[in-house]
Amino acid sequence: TIELGQTICITDKLSTNDMLSMTFLSFTRNIVRFSQRSGAWIVSSSFSTAIKNEVRLSKRMSELGICSRREAARILKDASESSNQRALKSVIYVRGNPVTGGTGVKVAKDEQYIEIRSGDAATTTNESHNNDLKEYVPYAERPWHEICGDSIVLNKPIGYVSGQEEHQHVPAVRLLTRSNNIDDDGIVSSSLQYTKKKWSGLNMETSSVPKHIRNTLNRDGKTVVDQDNKWEATLQGYACAGRLDINSTGVLIFTRAGMMARRLISPQSKITKEYIVKVAPAVQLTARESEMGMKLPPLTTDLESFLEGGRRLWDDAKPLKPVVEAEWLQNDPEEQPQIRTLRLVLQEGKKRQIRRMCRELLGLHVVDLVRTRIGPVKIDSLPEGKWRTLTKEEVQGIFMDRPKKKKKGKKKRKSFVSIGT
């Protein structure tokens, strides 16, 4: 395959006339031609058009939402290096034929007949027929029985981290047990698989889990950590789509569908997240802030800096996007007078963004932070520490508006292929 800008070395002994008579150049006569004026081999317009109408298979699969580019490249690499296709866990098929040509394989820009099958379901080219081709169906438009249970929502309590288990911090995935599931749908529940995972050595007395939360880990008077140091079985194959820090509570979505995770955490995603934040005047700098040389700003309740965007947080080169909504809510009479409640709706999610925005732009310290909504997924009456599967309406709502693609500047393309020594 010859691409624009590619230099092909044939020989350093043959003249131009000799090369023109070679079978290779006879075969590529419709692709390139030699220009006496420029002394270069020029790509024909038909070949240039063909290149523009093709993209890498991994990119096309990412555009369709089948899987990420990295995952597609891994599957393609495994297929090209394996001598036994049936032993592979996954094989990519284009128009009914297995792809074993490696990561550089290209397809038409509008190709729709792409799917991933298990290796033991492999068929030969002679066995595949156009009548049996399956056109790619967008994730949200697939039959509900195929995708129900792929994504769940947890009301995360304080004391749990959304990532991996570390430093006596318990990961929120430990709460995804049968006993914490409030679903009534037996069909969905039967499709969920649980597995026991060994904990590296949690000390319940020194862990970050608050005492009132530790009690929820007990069942029939016994802790979920049994004598063999194993926890109650948790959901298998689910990953957290997004973050929620250890001191925050609220909506946290887990999924086993790559397209759902990409839709939720992609930088181009326009899905909004709603937070209820309780704040109080910041009294002094933290130790880290003092080391960084920060200074607390004058105390203010003006939210224009949130709504306008463009401001930069300390030691952060990228400016903030404008907050979608920001408003002060009526104070709770039972709360302390210096504590106020703020409602924020954001589209981006930098690490500890809301806490940093309040301190560095308003001079306020976050006392309590609850994420009440991600897109159409609301916390509603979901008890703390419990989880449920997403409904059909919630899944469709997440995929309702497509994320906008970044506009890339046009790159100048070379108009010839150089063939020489």
Side-chain angles (χ1 to χ4, degrees), residues 149-324:
D150 278 358
S151 304
I152 65 172
V153 55
L154 167 74
N155 185 354
K156 188 190 86 68
I158 291 177
Y160 289 84
V161 293
S162 55
Q164 301 296 319
E165 44 196 54
E166 55 177 333
H167 307 302
Q168 295 297 319
H169 295 165
V170 185
V173 70
R174 295 291 183 181
L175 294 172
L176 305 183
T177 62
R178 282 191 179 91
S179 58
N180 285 336
N181 183 12
I182 66 169
D183 284 324
D184 296 328
D185 192 339
I187 298 178
V188 174
S189 299
S190 62
S191 67
L192 303 177
Q193 296 183 351
Y194 298 82
T195 182
K196 284 190 175 183
K197 297 180 181 180
K198 190 172 183 179
W199 175 249
S200 57
L202 174 68
N203 186 333
M204 292 297 292
E205 298 301 323
T206 61
S207 72
S208 62
V209 184
K211 187 174 181 179
H212 73 282
I213 297 297
R214 295 179 199 171
N215 297 332
T216 65
L217 300 178
N218 296 333
R219 189 177 52 184
D220 300 331
K222 298 180 180 180
T223 179
V224 294
V225 183
D226 59 24
Q227 294 179 353
D228 296 328
N229 200 30
K230 293 182 179 179
W231 286 63
E232 181 181 354
T234 57
L235 277 180
Q236 179 182 2
Y238 285 77
C240 183
R243 301 172 62 97
L244 196 59
D245 66 60
I246 191 171
N247 295 319
S248 301
T249 64
V251 175
L252 189 61
I253 294 179
F254 291 82
T255 184
R256 59 187 178 190
M259 186 55 185
M260 174 65 77
R262 180 186 175 192
R263 186 71 178 92
L264 291 171
I265 65 178
S266 170
Q268 288 77 46
S269 177
K270 297 299 179 183
I271 294 178
T272 57
K273 305 174 183 69
E274 182 181 74
Y275 301 84
I276 300 299
V277 188
K278 292 183 179 181
V279 295
V283 179
Q284 61 183 8
L285 293 171
T286 63
R288 175 176 172 77
E289 290 172 341
S290 299
E291 291 176 0
M292 297 172 63
M294 289 179 53
K295 293 183 179 180
L296 288 176
L299 181 64
T300 178
T301 56
D302 187 4
L303 301 178
E304 286 301 318
S305 58
F306 283 13
L307 297 170
E308 291 176 355
R311 302 286 292 273
R312 286 182 171 84
L313 297 177
W314 186 266
D315 200 24
D316 193 346
K318 190 175 181 180
L320 294 169
K321 295 180 181 178
V323 171
V324 179

Side-chain angles (χ1 to χ4, degrees), residues 26 41 123 173 329 355:
S26 177
W41 294 91
T123 59
V173 70
L329 301 181
R355 296 179 184 274

Side-chain angles (χ1 to χ4, degrees), residues 341-369:
T341 305
L342 177 65
R343 174 180 168 271
L344 296 173
V345 178
L346 285 72
Q347 282 185 332
E348 64 179 342
K350 296 183 178 181
K351 184 177 180 180
R352 301 181 65 85
Q353 178 177 346
I354 294 179
R355 296 179 184 274
R356 295 177 62 192
M357 286 170 58
C358 290
R359 282 189 74 86
E360 298 178 27
L361 301 182
L362 303 181
L364 296 171
H365 173 70
V366 173
V367 178
D368 183 58
L369 191 152

Side-chain angles (χ1 to χ4, degrees), residues 86-109:
R86 294 182 180 275
L88 297 175
K89 184 177 180 181
S90 302
V91 178
I92 297 174
Y93 280 72
V94 177
R95 295 190 171 270
N97 298 317
V99 180
T100 58
T103 58
V105 174
K106 293 188 176 183
V107 296
K109 293 177 67 173

